[in-house]
Amino acid sequence: MMADKNRQDELNGGSVEHTQTVDLPKKYKRNKYAIAISILASMSSILLGYDGGVMSGANIYIKRDLGISDVQIEILVGTMNIYSLFGAAAAGRTSDWIGRRYTTVFAAVIFFVGAILMGFATDYAFLMVGRFVAGIGMGYALMIAPVYAAEVAPASCRGFLSSFPEVFINFGVLLGYISNYAFSKFPLKLGWRLMLGIGAVPSVFLAVGVLAMPESPRWLVLQGRLADAKKVLDRTSDSPEEARLRLSDIKHAAGLPESCNDDVVSVPKRNRGGQGVWKELLLRPTPAVRHILIAGLGIHLFQQASGIDAVVMYSPRIYANAGIKSDSDKLLATIAVGISKTLFILVATFLVDRVGRRVLLLTSCGGLTASLLALAAGLTVIERKGDRKMTWAVALCVATSLSSVAFFSIGMGPIAWVYSSEVFPLRLRAQGCSMGVAVNRLTSGVVLMTFLSLSKAVTIGGAFFLYTGIAAVGWVFFYTLLPETQGRSLEEVEALFGTFFRWRSTSKELTRKKMEADNPPPPDV
């Protein structure tokens, strides 16, 4: 009876609320199978991280070898994020068409071709062609990894598994920094080409490893393959009861009756291929979908507008302005940045399902704001003192660059991907997440393509004062508009949205209804 009632409830002018939940034990064992396949899917994020890390050092040698200007370096570094918009825009439809798994393979193949082209580039134009191809693959990989992880994960560890893409981004950054240092000893014309070309190796392992993954159960249901979806859910859920309820939720979201239990069924056409999704997202969104869109895109906007990619990609320049002149010393310092990012993302991975998304996000954004402020102050002091060596200011700049990436990694880095993959309803998820990736990469591209010019116009310290202000505005946005999604099923999350600044009241009401449903009053005697 309760299930039938939920089928009929409507939320916020048309969104259907379906809030079957699973009472998970407080202590549970990690689902090893779900962890393994999430790791395989998330490995695609290494490609993005490696490119970001390796270009921070490679651009020094590319500029010397090809004799190009700072503006051309900005374009070279930043446009890959713009190119990734094309991949992200196509990834939503591609993943609905051929599935999440083969979309991941497709991303690896495209990036492989791009890395080979960059490695054999003979001039600036050739190098830009390689950047374009690799950027398409990056867009695909960025969109599909968090979507797949969220769709295979049980609610008990969805945040843990959905944060894996950011873990591998950070690992890729560290590999890129190490590659910079290792190949910097090679002849100028060979060293930077090896730095970029070696990026083809991870994509080969990714394309092969992904073939061991099952398809997403949500995509299988949308194709009418209920038996296959049930097999995947049985292996990726914490209990048979949770698997049954997850399948019921997915069938409901796909427009299938709960009584439908055939192995292969016909799914309503409007639910199968994404028809009408853009209209529902952009032209005629319900209040809930509008709130979700603002939250899902806003978190990506502020993640990148805070200038974190400027710290990661231009860290050798930052250290040069701080007074570190040796190439080897600058590259070693960037390795420390990579280690800091990687260690603290692991902390976030194990905390996200324990303390919740909001706590980590607000702590991260607050710490990042303070670190950027101190970094801006240190760089400004050094610049105004001219040739006078100020050891304390140099130490401050190094320490705050490390703390910036550390605070970013414990919250804003992983939570943006976790949160955006959770909040969009099933029919809107692929396209919604691809829009999030597009906002993320466009904002990153703008930051990277303007950082050097901005630094010349307002000083490098002034640039980081600007990023500090943006990060502070981001903290206010997160605090006021983003509900906590910890522990709720993906189909239940939508019910949290639609009341915007009053989401806390909605959350309390949902919790009250859940407690009443779990503890019904005794029948009258």
Side-chain angles (χ1 to χ4, degrees):
M1 293 296 292
M2 180 61 68
D4 292 336
K5 181 180 184 298
N6 285 336
R7 293 287 190 268
Q8 299 170 1
D9 288 342
E10 294 189 355
L11 179 69
N12 297 319
S15 294
V16 177
E17 177 186 349
H18 180 56
T19 56
Q20 290 196 59
T21 57
V22 185
D23 293 328
L24 296 171
K26 291 182 180 180
K27 292 184 179 181
Y28 56 87
K29 292 183 178 180
R30 298 285 189 189
N31 187 307
K32 294 180 180 178
Y33 181 72
I35 291 174
I37 61 178
S38 295
I39 287 175
L40 285 175
S42 301
M43 282 177 60
S44 61
S45 300
I46 288 180
L47 308 179
L48 167 63
Y50 181 83
D51 181 81
V54 79
M55 279 303 295
S56 71
N59 74 74
I60 298 173
Y61 303 103
I62 292 171
K63 182 178 180 180
R64 291 175 187 170
D65 185 25
L66 302 183
I68 56 180
S69 66
D70 275 347
V71 172
Q72 288 175 300
I73 286 293
E74 284 182 322
I75 294 172
L76 181 68
V77 171
T79 49
M80 191 164 181
N81 293 290
I82 307 300
Y83 301 149
S84 70
L85 296 176
F86 297 99
R93 180 54 64 90
T94 304
S95 67
D96 280 342
W97 178 37
I98 65 174
R100 298 358 181 185
R101 185 172 69 147
Y102 287 113
T103 300
T104 306
V105 175
F106 190 50
V109 171
I110 297 174
F111 193 90
F112 175 85
V113 174
I116 294 297
L117 290 174
M118 289 189 291
F120 284 97
T122 54
D123 54 29
Y124 184 74
F126 194 160
L127 186 56
M128 287 295 289
V129 172
R131 299 288 287 171
F132 174 76
V133 175
I136 300 293
M138 179 196 295
Y140 268 91
L142 268 174
M143 177 266 168
I144 199 60
V147 169
Y148 181 89
E151 291 186 345
V152 300
S156 62
C157 58
R158 188 175 61 243
F160 174 71
L161 299 185
S162 298
S163 63
F164 278 9
E166 186 68 16
V167 173
F168 282 98
I169 287 176
N170 283 271
F171 183 61
V173 169
L174 179 58
L175 289 179
Y177 288 155
I178 293 172
S179 176
N180 284 156
Y181 187 74
F183 293 118
S184 65
K185 311 299 182 184
F186 282 65
L188 179 62
K189 291 185 177 296
L190 179 62
W192 67 264
R193 291 179 170 87
L194 286 174
M195 294 175 191
L196 298 179
I198 203 72
V201 175
S203 60
V204 174
F205 288 103
L206 172 65
V208 174
V210 165
L211 298 178
M213 292 161 36
E215 186 49 82
S216 157
R218 286 174 170 79
W219 185 81
L220 291 171
V221 170
L222 289 177
Q223 306 309 304
R225 296 163 55 183
L226 295 187
D228 291 337
K230 185 177 184 302
K231 290 177 183 177
V232 177
L233 287 169
D234 286 341
R235 297 194 68 182
T236 59
S237 299
D238 290 325
S239 67
E241 177 67 8
E242 184 191 11
R244 185 186 69 78
L245 290 175
R246 286 175 70 189
L247 180 60
S248 175
D249 281 341
I250 297 169
K251 285 195 294 185
H252 171 69
L256 296 173
E258 191 165 349
S259 58
C260 182
N261 291 309
D262 295 337
D263 288 351
V264 180
V265 300
S266 177
V267 179
K269 187 177 180 181
R270 65 178 292 273
N271 294 328
R272 189 167 60 241
Q275 290 86 350
V277 165
W278 295 113
K279 182 184 293 184
E280 189 174 347
L281 271 173
L282 301 175
L283 300 181
R284 297 177 183 172
T286 64
V289 170
R290 187 179 297 112
H291 187 180
I292 287 170
L293 194 64
I294 291 171
L297 301 187
I299 195 171
H300 280 291
L301 173 67
F302 285 108
Q303 187 208 52
Q304 291 301 325
S306 64
I308 192 64
D309 273 4
V311 178
V312 173
M313 296 286 275
Y314 291 113
S315 51
R317 299 269 185 149
I318 295 171
Y319 293 140
N321 278 271
I324 300 174
K325 301 303 180 185
S326 164
D327 280 355
S328 293
D329 289 344
K330 286 184 284 191
L331 294 178
L332 280 173
T334 61
I335 291 177
V337 170
I339 292 172
S340 178
K341 280 179 66 65
T342 303
L343 289 178
F344 281 91
I345 188 64
L346 293 176
V347 173
T349 299
F350 287 99
L351 289 179
V352 65
D353 284 315
R354 288 179 168 85
V355 303
R357 284 57 161 157
R358 279 177 55 83
V359 172
L360 286 180
L361 188 61
L362 294 173
T363 301
S364 167
C365 192
L368 176 63
T369 302
S371 296
L372 290 174
L373 180 62
L375 176 60
L379 289 168
T380 300
V381 168
I382 291 173
E383 192 164 34
R384 289 184 176 178
K385 293 299 181 181
D387 294 332
R388 280 184 57 193
K389 180 131 177 146
M390 305 189 67
T391 305
W392 69 268
V394 174
L396 177 65
C397 291
V398 172
T400 51
S401 67
L402 296 178
S403 65
S404 293
V405 297
F407 275 113
F408 179 84
S409 293
I410 65 169
M412 292 178 71
I415 299 299
W417 304 105
V418 172
Y419 201 84
S420 62
S421 64
E422 287 180 326
V423 297
F424 286 101
L426 174 61
R427 284 193 63 252
L428 311 179
R429 187 166 299 135
Q431 285 79 3
C433 287
S434 69
M435 287 177 65
V437 172
V439 170
N440 188 288
R441 293 297 89 197
L442 177 61
T443 309
S444 175
V446 170
V447 168
L448 294 176
M449 292 174 66
T450 58
F451 178 74
L452 296 180
S453 299
L454 182 64
S455 297
K456 290 179 180 178
V458 299
T459 75
I460 190 169
F464 280 106
F465 277 124
L466 175 61
Y467 298 143
T468 300
I470 294 173
V473 174
W475 191 96
V476 175
F477 175 85
F478 300 148
Y479 181 80
T480 55
L481 278 173
L482 271 61
E484 178 60 74
T485 59
Q486 178 191 18
R488 297 186 184 272
S489 71
L490 290 179
E491 281 63 42
E492 184 184 6
V493 164
E494 186 181 358
L496 290 169
F497 290 85
T499 52
F500 297 92
F501 298 104
R502 300 189 302 276
W503 64 264
R504 290 171 179 80
S505 299
T506 304
S507 181
K508 290 178 182 178
E509 181 65 15
L510 287 173
T511 301
R512 184 186 65 79
K513 289 181 178 179
K514 179 182 176 182
M515 292 179 64
E516 290 178 353
D518 292 342
N519 300 283
D524 295 333
V525 178

